[in-house]
Amino acid sequence: MVVVKIAFILSVGLVGILAHKHQSKELDAKYNWWQHEVFYQIYPRSFQDSNGDGIGDLQGITSRLQYFKDTGITSVWLSPIYESPMVDFGYDISNYTNIQPEYGTLEDFDALIAKANELGVKVILDFVPNHSSNKHPWFIKSVAREPGYEDFYVWEDGILLENGTRVPPNNWLSVFSGSAWMWNDERQQYYLRQFTYGQPDLNYRNPAVIKAMDDVMLFWLNKGIAGFRIDAIIYIYEDAQLRDEPPSGTTDDPNNEAYLSHIYTRNQPEDYGLLQHWRQLLDNYTANHDGPLRIMMTEGYASVSQLMEYYEDSNGVQGPQFPFNFDFITELNANSTAADFVFYISRWLIYMPHGHVANWVMGNHDNPRVASRFGEKSVDAMNMLLMTLPGIGITYNGEELGMTDYRDISWSDTVDQPACEAGIDNYKTISRDPERTPMQWSSDVNAGFSSADRTWLPVNPNYKELNLRNQQQARRSHYKIYQSLLKLRQLPVLKNGSFVPEVVNRRVFAFKRELKNEHTLLTIVNVSNRTELVDIADFIEQPNRLSVLVAGVDSQHRVGDRLKAETIELAPNEGLVIQLNKRK
Ligand code: NOJ
């Protein structure tokens, strides 16, 4: 009953205890490896092109794996690399167990894993269970009502009005605007799609669908991956009675998804059960194979209490190792006060069920970049937060350089489907292209991303100055700071230390990380655009000497500088990581 044992160990939070009780290194590697990781998100299309077609690919990623080793990154997660018509750039999958030809082959993937293993980098894949592509053979067979596939997707007749017109079965809306129901002429029914027209929702009330997706997971696990990032999990089940959703009262636009309160299409009770099933599958796999604990992390924008249920339900049954915490994206921005930061950071830690691990997502391919959300001056401070808060950090590619959104992408260069559907007058406000532009490696042609005449999305013209090579050569740079923070994370105080926050004033907050017999670390951030002089003597145990461990690129402070707790000067948006040395 190894499986049960593992589930039990995990459910009572013994993993943490094991860690503290000198267990063997293998156990540590198997169970705890993920608890303090920084997971680096690679957007494959924009990371590195190896064959000059202007599109990133697997060989490109493999050629850059050494970069992770040099930087100190030991885990990456890849946005989808599977066969896809690319309506939603890989989130519309037409073959779950093959590689998109533009990206390479299964052999390229094996080579990527082999090289990653050699360098000690774990690979997590995106798993997109909610919907396939409308070009997937399952959908084509379902349209044709082929036996075994009739109910693979969510099909409905709709309502026939007295005047003879047919309308969708209810008022549900797509996340990307308009009705969630699309008419299919051949089958003479509506299919549910919560994203683009090319992403029909799979029907998880059909056991054959669950079986098919389990097989997909096993296929990739057998290829040597360390787990999955699970896409769009909150959309996986919908109300079986198809009840209309009530208006939310937040917008007058009936096509905008915010028009409705999504009580019947998101976070349905069955979602949790499905995740628990996958958790079992992964735990089972780990129990029967060598290698690390295979983990899962889930994507879902939901309320904090709903998200906490994903960690574990009220009976303590375990779900994913962690649901992504998007508070730095959804709740905090350039106008947030110090209290807002302390509030949202603490909220996650307070709500999180006992024995679980926090995580902080700073960015992704669906939202504006850190420099564009918080301001370019905030890049280092945000990375300091990511790296010194308790738990797991998640970095989107390019954030270690402080890459910025390229907001001036023209209408003709726009490729993000919802932006294309929004039209020339509205595309800019919703397009996700600006944060997906190619990685800026150097000042060479196309930022060193590709040798093509034209890349799939334009390279941000600021690459001439803002690129990795420049930052590697500079005395101080965002990249070097990021790298030093990753090193710092190895300190036991950052792995296991307690967290004590303080709102210093409206514009400045700080937190201490404390651990017995270790120096306390303090992170302090000025979230405003004016210089602040603060006195934090009350907050730190006296007598102490303060020395700077990490300072931002523009800081007047230098690593090793001594500070006085009574007079710490912080430039606009400056962050510092400080060591408190007890006086002997
Ligand atoms: C979330 C993904 O991150 C996003 O890019 C995609 O459009 C939707 N899920 C649909 O799969």
Side-chain angles (χ1 to χ4, degrees), residues 4 8-9 41 48 161 164 169 181 185 198 202 218 273 351 360 373-374 396 405 432 451 495 530 532 543:
V4 173
F8 174 73
I9 286 174
Q41 180 189 354
Q48 180 65 60
L161 299 178
W181 298 96
D185 257 345
L202 283 153
L218 290 169
Y351 273 74
W360 316 96
R373 296 200 316 273
F374 290 100
Y396 175 51
D405 291 353
R432 298 172 295 178
S451 59
K495 288 192 172 167
R530 60 183 234 196
E532 285 288 318

Side-chain angles (χ1 to χ4, degrees), residues 180-249:
W181 298 96
M182 297 289 294
W183 179 251
N184 181 275
D185 257 345
E186 188 181 335
R187 180 156 160 156
Q188 289 286 300
Q189 272 191 315
Y190 289 98
Y191 65 87
L192 181 71
R193 58 92 195 206
Q194 301 202 65
F195 296 91
T196 71
Y197 68 90
Q199 294 162 294
D201 265 53
L202 283 153
N203 172 17
Y204 280 86
R205 296 210 173 88
N206 179 350
V209 170
I210 298 184
K211 168 79 176 68
M213 295 309 276
D214 286 359
D215 289 347
V216 170
M217 276 193 163
L218 290 169
F219 177 89
W220 292 106
L221 287 170
N222 286 335
K223 293 228 157 264
I225 63 163
F228 297 100
R229 173 262 190 196
I230 306 210
D231 183 72
I233 193 62
I234 64 169
Y235 302 93
I236 211 121
Y237 285 97
E238 301 78 30
D239 179 39
Q241 296 174 53
L242 302 175
R243 281 172 283 189
D244 273 347
E245 291 187 323
S248 66

Side-chain angles (χ1 to χ4, degrees), residues 88 91 131 176 195 199 229 231 299 365-366 432 436:
D88 193 19
Y91 286 94
H131 42 265
F176 292 153
F195 296 91
Q199 294 162 294
R229 173 262 190 196
D231 183 72
E299 187 235 20
H365 62 294
D366 293 326
R432 298 172 295 178
R436 296 177 177 180

Side-chain angles (χ1 to χ4, degrees), residues 361-538:
V361 182
M362 260 314 155
N364 59 31
H365 62 294
D366 293 326
N367 291 284
R369 286 184 172 279
V370 169
S372 304
R373 296 200 316 273
F374 290 100
E376 290 177 31
K377 283 200 170 345
S378 298
V379 166
D380 298 324
M382 291 301 143
N383 280 332
M384 288 176 202
L385 292 178
L386 181 80
M387 299 281 190
T388 60
L389 284 170
I392 293 160
I394 293 142
T395 292
Y396 175 51
N397 56 203
E399 297 293 19
E400 72 277 33
L401 312 178
M403 272 176 65
T404 57
D405 291 353
Y406 180 32
R407 286 273 144 210
D408 294 328
I409 297 178
S410 67
W411 169 242
S412 60
D413 282 340
T414 293
V415 290
D416 184 25
Q417 179 63 19
C420 294
E421 282 174 28
I424 190 164
D425 294 331
N426 300 315
Y427 78 97
K428 277 203 172 171
T429 51
I430 60 162
S431 180
R432 298 172 295 178
D433 292 336
E435 61 261 19
R436 296 177 177 180
T437 57
M439 180 74 179
Q440 295 171 203
W441 297 104
S442 68
S443 56
D444 297 345
V445 70
N446 293 323
F449 160 71
S450 167
S451 59
D453 291 340
R454 199 184 147 82
T455 52
W456 80 282
L457 271 179
V459 177
N460 190 326
N462 68 8
Y463 79 91
K464 294 254 179 215
E465 295 78 43
L466 199 170
N467 62 63
L468 174 70
R469 197 188 293 148
N470 275 355
Q471 296 200 14
Q472 282 170 329
Q473 285 164 1
R475 217 167 46 79
R476 304 169 101 188
S477 68
H478 296 315
Y479 174 71
K480 285 195 168 165
I481 289 161
Y482 185 86
Q483 207 176 19
S484 67
L485 285 163
L486 273 171
K487 243 192 227 131
L488 202 67
R489 277 176 75 78
Q490 299 312 318
L491 290 175
V493 69
L494 285 184
K495 288 192 172 167
N496 301 313
S498 65
F499 168 81
V500 186
E502 171 89 348
V503 179
V504 177
N505 66 28
R506 284 196 186 162
R507 296 162 297 276
V508 177
F509 73 97
F511 56 84
K512 283 187 289 197
R513 300 293 312 275
E514 292 176 320
L515 189 66
K516 205 164 168 223
N517 299 328
E518 301 285 331
H519 290 300
T520 296
L521 293 198
L522 179 115
T523 300
I524 186 161
V525 176
N526 173 10
V527 298
S528 79
N529 52 16
R530 60 183 234 196
T531 300
E532 285 288 318
L533 186 66
V534 292
D535 175 355
I536 55 163
D538 283 355

Side-chain angles (χ1 to χ4, degrees), residues 260-335:
L260 298 175
S261 198
H262 301 289
I263 57 172
Y264 295 129
T265 54
R266 298 187 193 172
N267 293 296
Q268 299 301 290
E270 291 151 289
D271 296 359
Y272 303 105
L274 185 61
L275 282 171
Q276 290 159 3
H277 162 78
W278 284 331
R279 173 65 180 261
Q280 279 293 309
L281 185 148
L282 292 179
D283 286 351
N284 207 350
Y285 193 92
T286 303
N288 293 305
H289 294 82
D290 289 340
L293 183 81
R294 297 350 182 252
I295 62 161
M296 99 181 136
M297 53 191 89
T298 51
E299 187 235 20
Y301 295 80
S303 73
V304 69
S305 40
Q306 285 165 330
L307 288 174
M308 294 304 148
E309 291 277 314
Y310 286 99
Y311 273 120
E312 68 175 45
D313 71 10
S314 53
N315 298 316
V317 185
Q318 303 295 294
Q321 269 72 13
F322 57 99
F324 278 154
N325 170 2
F326 290 122
D327 286 350
F328 275 105
I329 296 176
T330 54
E331 309 295 345
L332 296 164
N333 56 50
N335 299 320

